[in-house]
Amino acid sequence: FMPDLPVPEYIPEGFELEELKISKYMNGSYWSRYRFENEFGEVFDITSNYLDNTDEDITMSLNGEITEVRKNDRRFYVVHDDYTLASNINFVLGKQLVNVTGSINYEKMIEIASKITDYTN
């Protein structure tokens, strides 16, 4: 059904998958969101926007205080929101724009993002 769905291969201890939502469009593109939660009410989401109908390079536009981090041959863009005091990790994986966000610390978010796999590449 979704062979190109990104797979999170690292989930911090104590977190469980609470919900997976997928919206698939007629042109082959889709949006997905994994939601994980622990017993203390901490949550994080992994969202993906897959663009199937383009041969062009994927680009993204980010607002806020942005820091670039490199790990496992990937570039992650960390955006800190001064209003909510939250951070999120953004990166391109194949034809997908992927985002990790939540009420967990920066190091865990980077570890989660660095171990998301796209099995079509």
Side-chain angles (χ1 to χ4, degrees):
F1 176 69
M2 301 291 297
D4 42 17
L5 189 68
V7 178
E9 294 188 350
Y10 167 75
I11 303 302
E13 188 173 332
F15 281 87
E16 294 184 9
L17 180 64
E18 291 296 319
E19 182 177 58
L20 172 59
K21 286 188 173 185
I22 300 172
S23 296
K24 192 167 185 178
Y25 307 107
M26 296 297 288
N27 67 1
S29 298
Y30 70 80
W31 171 89
S32 68
R33 184 186 79 196
Y34 294 86
R35 171 155 284 206
F36 295 89
E37 189 172 342
N38 68 13
E39 64 182 290
F40 305 110
E42 294 176 307
V43 297
F44 73 91
D45 293 336
I46 301 170
T47 58
S48 171
N49 291 291
Y50 178 80
L51 307 171
D52 188 44
N53 61 348
T54 183
D55 290 327
E56 298 177 24
D57 289 338
I58 304 298
T59 61
M60 67 179 124
S61 177
L62 304 171
N63 294 319
E65 181 183 329
I66 301 167
T67 305
E68 182 179 314
V69 176
R70 292 180 185 223
K71 185 172 182 175
N72 295 353
D73 297 327
R74 290 188 188 162
R75 288 182 185 178
F76 302 107
Y77 300 94
V78 182
V79 179
H80 181 73
D81 183 336
D82 290 329
Y83 181 72
T84 64
L85 301 179
S87 295
N88 61 70
I89 311 292
N90 302 273
F91 64 102
V92 175
L93 181 66
K95 290 184 169 187
Q96 301 179 67
L97 297 173
V98 181
N99 176 275
V100 179
T101 189
S103 60
I104 58 175
N105 70 38
Y106 162 84
E107 290 83 12
K108 285 182 183 175
M109 283 198 292
I110 289 289
E111 191 65 21
I112 292 164
S114 70
K115 295 186 178 169
I116 294 176
T117 303
D118 171 6
Y119 285 105
T120 61
N121 290 330

